[in-house]
Amino acid sequence: MRKAKTHLLAGVAAALLAGATLATALHSYPARADTPAPTAGHVARLQAHINRALNGGVLNTVDGAALLDSDVLLKIYVYAYGKRPVDYSAILTADTQAIDPPPPVQPTAAQKTAIDRLLQAARAHPKVLIRAHEIALFPYDAKTGGYTMQNRIFAKLAGKGYFFDNSLYHFVYVDFEPFSVWRTPDPAKRQAIDNAIKDFEQFNLDIVGQVVADGGDSISIKPLTATLKDNVGGTVLTEGGGA
């Protein structure tokens, strides 16, 4: 069954990221009276965000897993594993939660070339790494023998496969239950986790998963391993609760 949607980047990435939303270059369009025209510096910064995500057509990998850390890369994976013609403009236009959609971005020839290279790389790298942030744990539950994650990207909502928002492109988890409760027999680790929870500290989560299917504007990812990290990047638990 499909699981929760990530906010990129929140995420990524939260998630997409788990995870974060990249902004886009704004081209001329009928301006609303209450919307100021973007400055040249603002447009340049947004275009720089896009080019950083494209990375010259080179896919960033960590131990063989593609780092899925932007909405641009999310959409590249959606089109790489889908059966629709590639929409270069859609890939570069922000996957936003705003009610008013952003104006379409017209890709340059260099950006199209980079996207084509990334599409090929994505097909060769079905294994992906998602880095989610702001993960909270409930206090230790003796009934389950562990700590349950408290984060909306893993929530199961009635009738929905992901947390609702207005953006179009998503990824959803398949079978996240094995990673939803974190257990350890190590008293020292338990004490450290208990102290962090008491201090309202949040955790980070590295999820390695496999792209298993496309679903129109989304891809399904089956988690393979997960690593819970503290707020300075130290490993706390791995693989869904292993010590």
Side-chain angles (χ1 to χ4, degrees):
M1 185 175 293
R2 286 188 169 183
K3 291 296 164 193
K5 143 89 201 274
T6 69
H7 289 275
L8 285 181
L9 300 174
V12 140
L16 173 143
L17 9 105
T21 300
L22 280 185
T24 68
L26 301 177
H27 297 269
S28 60
Y29 63 100
R32 288 170 40 179
D34 58 348
T35 304
T39 65
H42 181 63
V43 170
R45 287 191 298 273
L46 299 183
Q47 187 66 47
H49 282 303
I50 289 174
N51 289 332
R52 277 198 295 271
L54 292 176
N55 195 34
V58 177
L59 192 64
N60 288 323
T61 61
V62 178
D63 296 329
L67 184 59
L68 193 59
D69 62 352
S70 72
D71 69 326
V72 171
L73 284 177
L74 167 63
K75 286 180 280 187
I76 283 171
Y77 265 83
V78 168
Y79 281 97
Y81 287 85
K83 299 177 175 61
R84 295 176 300 167
V86 176
D87 187 335
Y88 295 93
S89 179
I91 288 174
L92 297 184
T93 302
D95 185 28
T96 178
Q97 299 179 55
I99 294 175
D100 294 329
V105 172
Q106 301 306 317
T108 65
Q111 288 171 335
K112 282 188 175 181
T113 299
I115 289 171
D116 287 339
R117 293 180 63 190
L118 286 171
L119 288 166
Q120 290 184 337
R123 295 184 186 107
H125 291 82
K127 185 182 291 185
V128 296
L129 169 62
I130 300 157
R131 286 179 166 156
H133 306 286
E134 299 181 357
I135 302 294
L137 296 181
F138 284 108
Y140 180 80
D141 181 1
K143 188 174 182 179
T144 62
Y147 303 88
T148 302
M149 284 190 296
Q150 180 184 9
N151 190 286
R152 65 184 181 180
I153 68 175
F154 308 119
K156 181 178 179 181
L157 303 180
K160 297 184 183 296
Y162 48 80
F163 190 85
F164 176 80
D165 63 27
N166 296 318
S167 54
L168 182 62
Y169 297 90
H170 304 92
F171 65 79
V172 293
Y173 291 117
V174 178
D175 299 329
F176 200 82
E177 283 86 352
F179 304 95
S180 60
V181 179
W182 295 78
R183 302 178 178 89
T184 176
D186 187 336
K189 286 189 176 182
R190 283 260 305 273
Q191 187 61 58
I193 295 171
D194 291 340
N195 291 340
I197 292 173
K198 288 179 183 177
D199 290 337
F200 301 102
E201 292 181 10
Q202 294 184 318
F203 299 84
N204 300 314
L205 189 65
D206 284 0
I207 304 164
V208 175
Q210 188 92 2
V211 177
V212 294
D214 74 284
D217 297 323
S218 68
I219 53 174
S220 295
I221 297 174
K222 180 177 177 59
L224 302 175
T225 62
T227 303
L228 188 71
K229 296 184 176 182
D230 59 27
N231 57 11
V232 292
T235 296
V236 179
L237 299 173
T238 60
E239 297 187 288

